């Protein structure tokens, strides 16, 4: 999963994460180490230090995870992937001038001012 998520663009030199068990495990640590990536942990109890991710996680939970009942892992993967695709191609984002991420990226690629109307 981590390999697939990083294919189209360069890896960030640092990834800011919270202290949840999904980020504090040795698998993610080893993956980051092999690629020269620093995992920067926020202070415990300070979610505002990673507000963008906290906002995204809240949206994912409200719009996808809590909206469905998953019977199998495959069903969960397919549903989450469909939500991710919709979020990145159809859903306008306020921080991107009410554009979808794909439209924003296309404008960036063609050299058009990305936040101009």
């Amino acid at each position: 999963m981590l390999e697939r998520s990083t294919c189209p663009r360069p890896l960030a030199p640092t990834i800011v994460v919270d202290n949840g068990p999904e980020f504090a495990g040795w698998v993610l640590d080893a993956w980051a180490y092999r690629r020269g990536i620093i995992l920067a942990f926020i202070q415990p109890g300070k979610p505002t230090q990673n507000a963008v991710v906290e906002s995204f996680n809240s949206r994912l939970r409200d719009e996808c995870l809590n909206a469905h009942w998953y019977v199998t892992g495959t069903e969960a993967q397919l549903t989450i992937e469909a939500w991710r695709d919709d979020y990145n191609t159809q859903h306008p984002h306020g921080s991107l001038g009410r554009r979808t991420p794909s439209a924003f990226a296309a404008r960036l690629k063609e050299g058009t001012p990305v936040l101009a109307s």
Side-chain angles (χ1 to χ4, degrees):
M1 176 84 155
L2 290 171
E3 294 304 324
R4 190 179 65 144
S5 68
T6 59
C7 292
R9 55 188 147 275
L11 297 171
T14 303
I15 299 174
V16 179
V17 296
D18 67 22
N19 291 282
E22 67 275 20
F23 298 119
W26 66 269
V27 173
L28 180 63
D29 189 50
W31 177 87
Y33 179 80
R34 284 192 306 272
R35 286 153 187 81
I37 297 170
I38 297 168
L39 296 178
F41 289 88
I42 65 172
Q43 292 174 297
K46 303 281 186 178
T48 56
Q49 291 180 346
N50 203 8
V52 171
V53 170
E54 293 297 324
S55 175
F56 171 79
N57 288 346
S58 174
R59 185 174 304 270
L60 172 63
R61 181 160 303 285
D62 290 345
E63 295 177 6
C64 183
L65 301 177
N66 290 345
H68 302 279
W69 181 264
Y70 306 105
V71 178
T72 67
T74 301
E75 183 182 358
Q77 286 178 315
L78 291 171
T79 302
I80 294 166
E81 177 61 20
W83 181 87
R84 185 198 63 79
D85 183 62
D86 179 73
Y87 185 81
N88 286 328
T89 60
Q90 305 300 316
H91 184 87
H93 296 249
S95 63
L96 302 178
R98 301 301 307 157
R99 291 183 181 83
T100 65
S102 56
F104 182 85
R107 286 186 75 151
L108 188 63
K109 194 175 193 177
E110 66 189 27
T112 305
V114 290
L115 293 178
S117 24

